[in-house]
Amino acid sequence: MEQGSSLRDRLIDAGVDLVMTDGAASLGLREIARRAGVSHGAPRRYFPTHHALLSAIARRGFADLTARFVAAADGEAAPRGQLRALARVYVGYALECRGMFELMFRHDVLDSEQHSADPPRLRESTLPLFEHVVALVTRHRSDDPGLRGEAGPPPEVAAAALWANLHGLAQLWAWGSLPLALGAPPPGDAPGGDRLDALVAAALDAHLGPVGS
């Protein structure tokens, strides 16, 4: 049992290393098996489908992202400050771990109930993160006198729009589209931290209201 568990972890470890270095498109079963030092048929003993192995690899990504959120969290900070910290971590993770980030949000992997060897479905890993953002948006509205009673979308809609904004921001920056539009250095040539921080701040303003509103 322990040996099987160890081999299973080796396969996931190999997949994590592969996606981090070569991207999500590199995650073939044969290559993962080769990296793990086992026969190409070995993954099938622990993962009934390719998607089941991809889900297990992506679950490692969600665990890493969650750990980074926890490390960046300041429970004493105002909700907006906590949202800003989470937003910066999210965008930073997307740019640092591009292959894993792509895998984590692939629809076929997130919605692979029939393939999963480890219920619940991978998409359930996103729900606690999203619910935390919704809770922070709700607290932000109730704590800010200027926002109380103000008409606006429900907190879950505002949180979803903020998430989509940050996700798109990260993707467009990684692809080089935003740096090109803004006249910033291409990704990889310079960190572009000030521009990214300004974009994150603008996203927060758009969905939470300007600071001091």
Side-chain angles (χ1 to χ4, degrees), residues 146-200:
L147 297 176
R148 290 179 197 153
E150 195 173 281
E156 62 271 18
V157 173
L162 175 60
W163 178 17
N165 195 161
L166 294 170
H167 195 93
L169 189 163
Q171 292 282 46
L172 290 172
W173 189 274
W175 292 335
S177 303
L178 276 176
L180 178 65
L182 296 173
D189 290 356
D194 291 343
R195 288 293 182 95
L196 277 173
D197 278 348
L199 289 168
V200 167

Side-chain angles (χ1 to χ4, degrees), residues 25-147:
S26 66
L27 290 172
L29 282 175
R30 286 179 176 270
E31 181 58 19
I32 293 173
R34 188 187 73 79
R35 291 284 186 106
V38 298
S39 69
H40 68 266
R44 296 293 188 187
R45 298 205 299 269
Y46 305 99
F47 303 97
T49 66
H50 188 197
H51 276 79
L53 178 51
L54 294 181
S55 293
I57 294 166
R59 191 170 279 109
R60 289 277 188 91
F62 278 110
D64 183 17
L65 180 58
T66 300
R68 295 183 188 213
F69 281 161
V70 171
D74 178 0
E76 301 301 318
R80 188 188 183 101
Q82 294 185 53
L83 285 165
R84 181 179 178 86
L86 293 182
R88 294 178 70 179
V89 167
Y90 189 82
V91 172
Y93 184 85
L95 298 179
E96 178 187 342
C97 309
R98 290 178 60 182
M100 179 64 84
F101 188 77
E102 176 187 343
L103 178 67
M104 287 162 59
F105 293 100
R106 269 178 47 176
H107 174 75
D108 60 329
V109 177
L110 283 168
D111 198 32
S112 56
E113 180 177 24
Q114 68 272 32
H115 304 294
S116 178
D118 295 317
R121 282 176 291 182
L122 178 65
R123 70 181 183 185
E124 307 303 325
S125 297
T126 67
L127 294 180
L129 300 178
F130 179 65
E131 288 165 359
H132 182 56
V133 174
V134 173
L136 287 173
V137 170
T138 302
R139 283 179 49 205
H140 167 69
R141 288 184 174 181
S142 64
D143 290 353
D144 190 329
L147 297 176

